[in-house]
Amino acid sequence: MAQERDQCKVIFHRGKLHVIGGYCTELQGGFEGSDEAFEFSTWKWDRVKEDYFGANMCPKACVAGDNGKLYVYWASDVATLDKDTLKIVAQLLAGLGDVTYMTTWQEKLMVIESSNFGVSHLAYMLDFINYTWTKVESPKEYSGYVQSSNYLGI
């Protein structure tokens, strides 16, 4: 890669491995909004795209959908990157705090709110067909802050 990245988001999207955001160690938390993509057919990194989302942001709430779109938690909304423009696809529900995790599968998007230790997560599913939200019940043992997770569809 062209630059060092701590706390970046890695997503496989449209045939490339994207490394989004992050920061160099000396900037500790000074997130950048750039994207680098690895092209497997040429075995090379593409040119760095600066301001990938139009601003610097923590990329943890960014996910590639099965439909080929890239979704991101953006200013209390869910947006998709269409060419080089962010387009709002849904507003988050009132009362939902800082989204720390998002994932997609089967034409749905799951968002999980950051919570304090000992407090159950708030989680919701957005149906991409009719754009309605459904609350997902979270048992108390699923509490604390979501650091990371993975989803593998087979």
Side-chain angles (χ1 to χ4, degrees):
M1 290 189 308
Q3 61 194 58
E4 157 188 9
R5 295 173 184 263
D6 288 354
Q7 294 192 30
C8 55
K9 179 74 175 210
V10 178
I11 295 174
F12 189 75
H13 178 62
R14 295 189 175 168
K16 295 181 181 182
L17 184 73
H18 291 262
V19 182
I20 302 169
Y23 52 84
C24 68
T25 303
E26 292 86 35
L27 293 179
Q28 210 47 243
F31 288 95
E32 298 177 8
S34 62
D35 168 68
E36 289 185 71
F38 185 76
E39 175 66 60
F40 288 94
S41 64
T42 62
W43 209 248
K44 293 182 182 177
W45 289 96
D46 290 347
R47 183 179 58 83
V48 175
K49 292 181 186 173
E50 299 295 340
D51 298 324
Y52 193 56
F53 294 115
N56 295 347
M57 61 172 275
C58 176
K60 62 186 168 190
C62 175
V63 64
D66 295 335
N67 58 5
K69 294 182 179 181
L70 188 66
Y71 294 94
V72 62
Y73 167 63
W74 179 258
S76 298
D77 294 314
V78 175
T80 186
L81 192 62
D82 184 15
K83 297 183 178 146
D84 289 329
T85 306
L86 277 174
K87 293 190 177 176
I88 306 300
V89 295
Q91 289 185 326
L92 287 179
L93 299 170
L96 192 62
D98 185 31
V99 172
T100 59
Y101 177 72
M102 291 181 16
T103 192
T104 62
W105 77 98
Q106 298 177 354
E107 299 188 42
K108 292 182 174 77
L109 170 79
M110 176 183 241
V111 297
I112 298 176
E113 174 194 43
S114 172
S115 62
N116 295 321
F117 289 101
V119 177
S120 294
H121 296 296
L122 286 178
Y124 290 89
M125 297 285 289
L126 175 65
D127 187 323
F128 286 132
I129 295 172
N130 57 22
Y131 288 93
T132 56
W133 290 99
T134 304
K135 185 173 183 177
V136 177
E137 294 301 320
S138 296
K140 187 167 172 78
E141 58 265 22
Y142 297 107
S143 63
Y145 187 80
V146 178
Q147 293 289 340
S148 67
S149 69
N150 290 296
Y151 163 72
L152 174 64
I154 298 176

